[in-house]
């Protein structure tokens, strides 16, 4: 079957070369014990809604590493194609790289076939890849977009399961967000209603979930184009740094300065001729 | 009868979770379901509930578990959502290719064999209980069940999924040979309703489909329109 896009070659599973090394490091002698770094999770609230003219996607902007906020202005709505955007929850690196790979494949497909990519195609590529990795890639994704067949909203889980629904929330804050969506969603809403619904759903996630917070990003996708509103609503709790923490040059006094010349000796010299003449 | 699917094997009874991230994010999406198919003279009636769960959270309350494999062949999916979707996609491709090669509509037995081959070969990695049903010219309406493990057998009526355990008695006592299409629809709807009332992993709406020589007719019975029973 001809594939008009370049997927990564189907290698058998993961490369576990470093796992013995990691075990040795972790179980080392008392002084030599090293703890493996934990992957950064986005601990997120993301939501999407299909409205009259297209799709509205929303996300918070907090990325956490255990209990510390690692990034206060993380971008969780990723570009896939001019008419398709994807919100990602789960492990930050996995969602980032998966969506980048998907975007490259769809661009190649567009160039090869001269067609705009369809949302269902993005979903199928994601499903194939995530199913092949059997849940090891922690990417919970919401894909939304408008193509020639209409407006669509899909969710793809880390094991490769897919659902097509008119409204959706994912991430650790999805329970409160889903409550808002279930209460106020109506079919064929207009733009302002849809934007305020998604924004309120993310807000509920931010208020009720520790892993979500900071600002709210929105992305409105219609047949005419995309409006990426970043941020749609800023957190009222932005702490500004009280002072500048840069040191001026000359803060540390120089006491002594010694210059040592390093003598280099030429041991061996080889010359390789390059074929620069053109051949027919 | 086929073994019923109780709960997915990867459900752990002791929760091991960080306060920030609830347990269900670690769980695989399962269809934990009730599915059913009945043969009648001239076709089959298939039905399913519409609930998909991740642990205790309902990820999708309006799932469509009746997946078309070919023009007059459907499969009912139960078990892991990812596994069954991937298997159904693979079999749809294989069957479509086979049908084009033959220049003829494929047999239900062929579709069921393809499902069985995949479910048996990868039985250690997959968790999928599938009922294949449809109409073909050679043998009319047929129902084949391919439960977890990869067995395949033809049955006049088959139920599957976690909710099926609760309705074996109902199905065994109420099934009669020679039912008409309308009787089969009523029988399926009532059986699914009873299972949905008792099984926590089944619920939502009842999706039904009738497959016959004329084609496929689909219907949905919403929650408030389900048949009423006195104890539930």
């Amino acid at each position: 079957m001809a594939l008009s896009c370049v997927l990564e070659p189907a290698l058998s599973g993961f490369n576990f070369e470093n796992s013995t090394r990691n075990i040795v490091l972790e179980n080392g002698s008392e002084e030599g014990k090293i703890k493996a770094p934990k992957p950064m999770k986005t601990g997120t609230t993301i939501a999407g809604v299909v409205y009259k003219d297209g799709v509205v996607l929303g996300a918070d902007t907090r990325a956490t590493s255990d209990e510390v906020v690692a990034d206060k202005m993380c971008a969780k709505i990723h570009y896939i194609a001019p008419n398709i955007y994807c919100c990602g929850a789960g492990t930050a690196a996995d969602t980032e790289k998966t969506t980048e790979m998907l975007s490259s494949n769809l661009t190649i497909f567009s160039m090869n076939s001269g067609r705009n990519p369809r949302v269902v195609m993005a979903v199928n590529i994601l499903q194939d890849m995530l199913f092949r990795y059997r849940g090891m890639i922690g990417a919970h994704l919401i894909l939304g977009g408008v193509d020639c067949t209409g407006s669509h909203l899909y969710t793809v889980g880390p094991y490769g399961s897919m659902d097509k629904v008119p409204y959706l929330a994912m991430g650790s804050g999805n329970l409160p967000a889903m409550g808002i969506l279930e209460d106020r969603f109506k079919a064929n809403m207009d733009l302002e209603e849809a934007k305020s619904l998604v924004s309120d759903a993310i807000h509920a996630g931010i208020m009720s979930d520790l892993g979500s917070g900071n600002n709210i990003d929105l992305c409105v996708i219609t047949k005419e184009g995309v409006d990426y509103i970043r941020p749609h609503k800023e957190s009222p709790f932005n702490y500004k740094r009280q002072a500048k923490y840069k040191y001026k040059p000359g803060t540390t006094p120089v006491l002594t300065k010694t210059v040592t010349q390093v003598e280099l000796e030429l041991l061996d010299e080889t010359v390789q001729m390059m074929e620069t003449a053109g051949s027919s | 009868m086929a073994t019923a699917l109780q709960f997915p094997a990867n459900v752990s009874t002791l929760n091991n979770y960080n306060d920030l991230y609830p347990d269900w994010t670690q769980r695989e999406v399962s269809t934990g379901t009730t599915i059913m198919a009945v043969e009648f003279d001239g076709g089959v009636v298939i039905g399913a509930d519409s609930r998909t769960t991740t642990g205790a959270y309902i990820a999708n309350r309006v799932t469509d578990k009746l997946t078309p494999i070919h023009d007059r062949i459907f499969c009912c999916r139960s078990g892991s959502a990812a596994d069954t979707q991937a298997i159904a996609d693979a079999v749809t491709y294989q069957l479509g290719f086979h049908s084009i090669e033959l220049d003829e509509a494929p047999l239900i037995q062929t579709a069921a064999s393809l499902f069985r081959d995949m479910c048996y070969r990868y039985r250690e990695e997959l968790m999928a209980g599938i009922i294949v049903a449809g109409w073909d010219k050679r043998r009319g309406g047929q129902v084949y069940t391919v439960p977890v493990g990869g067995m395949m057998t033809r049955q006049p009526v088959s139920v599957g999924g976690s909710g099926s355990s609760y309705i074996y008695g109902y199905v065994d006592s109420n099934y009669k040979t020679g039912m008409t299409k309308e009787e089969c629809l009523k029988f399926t709807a009532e059986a699914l309703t009873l299972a949905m009332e008792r099984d926590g992993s089944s619920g939502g709406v009842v999706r039904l489909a009738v497959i016959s020589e004329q084609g496929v007719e689909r219907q949905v019975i919403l929650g408030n329109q389900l048949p009423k029973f006195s104890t539930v």
Side-chain angles (χ1 to χ4, degrees), chain A residues 96-168:
Chain A
E96 191 64 46
K97 281 301 162 192
T98 307
T99 46
E100 273 178 16
M101 185 221 77
L102 178 63
S103 175
S104 314
N105 276 327
L106 286 182
T107 314
I108 293 175
F109 162 78
S110 293
M111 290 198 275
N112 268 338
S113 63
R115 291 174 188 258
N116 274 332
R118 301 191 189 181
V119 189
V120 70
M121 189 179 171
V123 171
N124 280 324
I125 294 176
L126 276 177
Q127 260 199 305
D128 280 343
M129 182 195 154
L130 293 174
F131 183 74
R132 203 158 13 106
Y133 285 106
R134 306 185 55 76
M136 292 294 167
I137 295 186
H140 305 248
L141 303 167
I142 294 186
L143 267 122
V146 179
D147 57 34
C148 57
T149 52
S151 325
H152 308 283
L153 187 67
Y154 288 89
T155 173
V156 183
Y159 286 89
S161 60
M162 173 272 280
D163 278 310
K164 181 177 196 311
V165 273
Y167 59 93
L168 197 47

Side-chain angles (χ1 to χ4, degrees), chain A residues 1 41 43 64 66-67 127 131 134 140 159-163 165 167 171-172 174-175 178 182 209-211, chain B residues 10 18 20-22 24-29 52 57 59-63 81-83 85-86 89 93 125-126:
Chain A
M1 185 166 61
K41 294 186 85 107
T64 50
D66 282 346
E67 289 81 39
Q127 260 199 305
F131 183 74
R134 306 185 55 76
H140 305 248
Y159 286 89
S161 60
M162 173 272 280
D163 278 310
V165 273
Y167 59 93
S172 54
N174 84 329
L175 285 159
M178 208 52 183
E182 287 279 14
D209 174 45
L210 294 177
Chain B
N10 56 359
N18 180 347
L20 288 178
Y21 308 113
W24 48 262
T25 50
Q26 261 66 273
R27 299 279 183 77
E28 189 175 336
V29 174
T52 323
Y57 177 66
N60 188 353
R61 58 184 170 86
V62 286
T63 326
D83 290 347
Q85 283 173 9
D89 284 346
Y93 159 69
E125 287 87 19
L126 292 173

Side-chain angles (χ1 to χ4, degrees), chain B:
Chain B
M1 272 277 194
T3 51
L5 191 66
Q6 287 299 323
F7 276 104
N10 56 359
V11 169
S12 55
T13 48
L14 286 177
N15 281 340
N16 164 31
Y17 68 89
N18 180 347
D19 273 324
L20 288 178
Y21 308 113
D23 171 62
W24 48 262
T25 50
Q26 261 66 273
R27 299 279 183 77
E28 189 175 336
V29 174
S30 156
T31 43
T33 253
T34 316
I35 50 177
M36 181 165 167
V38 189
E39 287 176 9
F40 66 91
D41 182 22
V44 292
V45 168
I46 57 176
D49 74 307
S50 69
R51 182 173 288 185
T52 323
T53 48
T54 6
Y57 177 66
I58 299 176
N60 188 353
R61 58 184 170 86
V62 286
T63 326
D64 185 7
K65 302 180 192 178
L66 307 175
T67 308
I69 303 294
H70 203 263
D71 293 343
R72 283 176 183 62
I73 310 181
F74 267 64
C75 77
C76 312
R77 301 181 289 111
S78 76
S80 151
D83 290 347
T84 52
Q85 283 173 9
I87 298 171
D89 284 346
V91 171
T92 307
Y93 159 69
Q94 292 170 349
L95 201 65
F97 189 88
H98 165 79
S99 168
I100 290 175
E101 264 188 334
L102 248 52
D103 195 22
E104 194 178 284
L107 299 177
I108 317 300
Q109 188 183 2
T110 314
S113 289
L114 288 171
F115 272 108
R116 182 265 316 275
D117 286 347
M118 197 163 287
C119 291
Y120 181 72
R121 184 185 302 264
Y122 298 109
R123 57 184 302 171
E124 306 300 330
E125 287 87 19
L126 292 173
M127 186 155 70
I130 297 179
I131 299 180
V132 186
W135 180 92
D136 66 29
K137 213 159 54 142
R138 190 184 288 187
R139 300 200 182 106
Q142 297 147 75
V143 170
Y144 292 85
T145 180
V146 182
V148 172
M151 170 185 98
M152 175 184 88
T153 184
R154 182 178 171 188
Q155 295 175 319
V157 62
S158 185
V159 293
S162 58
S164 64
S165 347
Y166 304 100
I167 52 173
Y168 279 115
Y170 179 82
V171 167
D172 286 342
S173 57
N174 286 63
Y175 173 72
K176 300 182 296 293
T177 48
M179 287 199 284
T180 64
K181 180 177 93 171
E182 285 67 30
E183 288 172 332
C184 285
L185 280 166
K186 183 161 174 292
F187 173 53
T188 309
E190 291 185 345
L192 288 172
T193 305
L194 288 168
M196 280 157 55
E197 287 294 333
R198 289 292 180 180
D199 179 30
S201 312
S202 306
V205 304
V206 167
R207 292 196 189 271
L208 295 168
V210 182
I211 311 169
S212 62
E213 182 173 9
Q214 287 74 40
V216 178
E217 304 159 29
R218 300 201 60 158
Q219 46 176 279
V220 179
I221 306 183
L222 299 181
N224 56 351
Q225 299 160 346
L226 292 172
K228 307 252 180 304
F229 295 95
S230 49
T231 53
V232 301

Side-chain angles (χ1 to χ4, degrees), chain A residues 25-100:
Chain A
L25 283 176
E26 285 196 350
N27 299 336
S29 55
E30 274 315 303
E31 332 80 65
K33 228 190 257 257
I34 300 170
K35 206 164 169 309
K38 273 211 163 51
M40 185 170 92
K41 294 186 85 107
T42 45
T44 281
T45 309
I46 48 179
V49 146
V50 174
Y51 77 103
K52 192 174 60 177
D53 302 320
V55 177
V56 177
L57 299 173
D60 73 307
T61 60
R62 174 179 290 185
T64 50
S65 186
D66 282 346
E67 289 81 39
V68 177
V69 175
D71 191 349
K72 290 189 288 219
M73 198 54 182
C74 172
K76 300 185 190 180
I77 306 184
H78 308 282
Y79 167 87
I80 303 288
N83 55 332
I84 306 174
Y85 276 72
C86 174
C87 306
T91 310
D94 288 344
T95 56
E96 191 64 46
K97 281 301 162 192
T98 307
T99 46
E100 273 178 16

Side-chain angles (χ1 to χ4, degrees), chain A residues 182-202:
Chain A
E182 287 279 14
D183 186 36
R184 285 163 38 188
F185 174 81
K186 295 192 298 288
N188 290 324
M189 285 184 288
D190 58 23
L191 176 63
E192 283 316 309
E193 231 184 326
K195 273 165 68 172
S196 91
L197 176 59
V198 176
S199 174
D200 288 347
I202 305 292

